[in-house]
Amino acid sequence: MVDKDIKKKPLVVIAGPTACGKTAVSVKLAKMIGGEIISADSMQVYKYMDIGTAKIKPEEMDGIKHYLVDELYPDEEYSVAVFKNKAKQYIEEIYTKGKIPVLVGGTGFYINALVYDNDFSEECSDDTLRFKLQQYLETEGKEALYERLKEVDPQACNSIHINNTKRVIRAIEYFELTGEPISEHNRKEKQKKPYYDVDFFVLNMDRGCLYNRIDCRIDEMLREGLLDEVKGLYEKYDRNLVSMQGLGYKEIIAYLAGECSLEEAVNILKRDTRHFAKRQLTWFKHQVSGIWVDMDSFKSSEDAALFIAKQMGVL
């Protein structure tokens, strides 16, 4: 807990759905306010996974240091607990430089974990139980696993998608070990006051425009060599790894494995990415209190960053 008498340190959050322009806006903002960027993206942390994650390129960083980008190998574990611990270390490092940390990403669960210093104690994990649940998933399927979650914690099903089997397993595991639904645990965590002095901004735009940007981005990924990137990873890593189950990877792997045509894989990728963006927006609307930034109102990412800086009172 943070002592209420201790002045909290600043943290800027730039959140929003995939393809809404977070990368460009955050770099412009960091230049304006003297910031450095920490990625709150569950996929951009992996090496070799550049095109499919829309990872920021070195030249796009414009001299701004980025953290939690390109730091782990695809077969290394990355969880909300790992993210939170690493991000807190980097935030302190940024403070020592006299700069402001800017947290950027669309993984809302990660963002809230850091902002509210949520507890992810290892006391509530059990490798044997997790392995059994993973085996249950593989033998019975994700629908049966999801039904088990509904039985013990129906409230959790409102925020955990059936396809996010890692979180489904985690929620069942938590209930089995503690007797408390993870939704109740999360409700208590959400009542906490922010650990930092947070300026929270959620980028948004017209839904049709966003979906069109998603489709165009995926077309550009294919032109940049997404097939070759995934092929190289598929030859080296197990397709069942969490990293290999990310959008842009599992769909192309299905094509490479002969399970569908390339056209079908691309159509599924576009559809599922649009659905993912919709779920992200829904999550931010219900889980955070911040300033929503209508990207359609600005001519450029620099204009949007200037608006945010003014809202912060630094310009």
Side-chain angles (χ1 to χ4, degrees), residues 53-266:
T53 66
K55 187 181 294 176
I56 186 170
K57 299 177 176 68
E59 61 270 20
E60 293 172 332
M61 293 181 182
D62 198 16
I64 299 296
K65 186 170 178 58
H66 283 62
Y67 302 82
L68 291 177
V69 173
D70 228 26
E71 292 192 12
L72 300 179
Y73 292 99
D75 56 357
E76 290 186 90
E77 180 186 359
Y78 195 55
S79 65
V80 63
V82 174
F83 159 78
K84 187 189 128 182
N85 290 336
K86 285 181 172 290
K88 287 185 76 172
Q89 292 172 13
Y90 289 139
I91 284 174
E92 292 305 317
E93 184 178 321
I94 293 169
Y95 288 150
T96 62
K97 300 178 185 178
K99 294 182 177 293
I100 298 174
V102 181
L103 186 67
V104 181
T107 310
F109 188 52
Y110 282 23
I111 292 171
N112 263 13
L114 181 65
V115 168
Y116 294 98
D117 195 31
N118 290 343
D119 179 31
F120 296 98
S121 172
E122 288 303 311
E123 296 173 5
C124 296
S125 66
D126 183 295
D127 291 341
T128 302
L129 174 57
R130 191 174 302 172
F131 179 72
K132 287 181 179 178
L133 290 170
Q134 185 65 41
Q135 283 187 314
Y136 185 83
L137 167 64
E138 293 171 3
T139 57
E140 303 298 326
K142 63 184 180 182
E143 290 81 8
L145 182 73
Y146 204 62
E147 283 301 317
R148 285 187 62 173
L149 177 59
K150 283 184 180 179
E151 290 173 6
V152 301
D153 191 356
Q155 188 68 30
C157 294
N158 294 330
S159 59
I160 302 176
H161 193 271
I162 188 172
N163 291 335
N164 195 339
T165 54
K166 182 178 179 182
R167 284 191 63 198
V168 174
I169 287 174
R170 172 61 181 147
I172 297 172
E173 176 192 19
Y174 185 86
F175 178 82
E176 294 289 343
L177 293 172
T178 68
E180 177 187 47
I182 201 167
S183 59
E184 177 61 16
H185 168 76
N186 292 340
R187 185 190 67 79
K188 293 174 183 174
E189 291 289 320
K190 280 167 56 179
Q191 290 179 339
K192 289 182 177 180
K193 298 294 184 183
Y195 187 78
Y196 301 95
D197 181 10
V198 181
D199 284 300
F200 204 123
F201 299 90
V202 182
L203 308 192
N204 192 21
M205 62 175 53
D206 172 76
R207 191 69 59 89
C209 179
L210 178 64
Y211 289 171
N212 183 62
R213 283 170 62 95
I214 287 170
D215 289 350
C216 290
R217 172 187 273 187
I218 291 170
D219 289 337
E220 180 61 24
M221 287 177 176
L222 290 164
R223 286 191 292 270
E224 289 182 351
L226 179 61
L227 283 176
D228 288 337
E229 177 173 282
V230 179
K231 187 171 184 286
L233 289 161
Y234 184 40
E235 291 171 350
K236 187 175 182 180
Y237 295 102
D238 185 340
R239 68 182 292 184
N240 293 312
L241 288 170
V242 172
S243 60
M244 298 288 275
Q245 289 295 306
L247 280 169
Y249 295 91
K250 66 179 186 294
E251 297 84 4
I252 300 301
I253 287 172
Y255 159 68
L256 294 172
E259 297 166 5
C260 65
S261 69
L262 178 59
E263 182 180 5
E264 288 172 324
V266 172

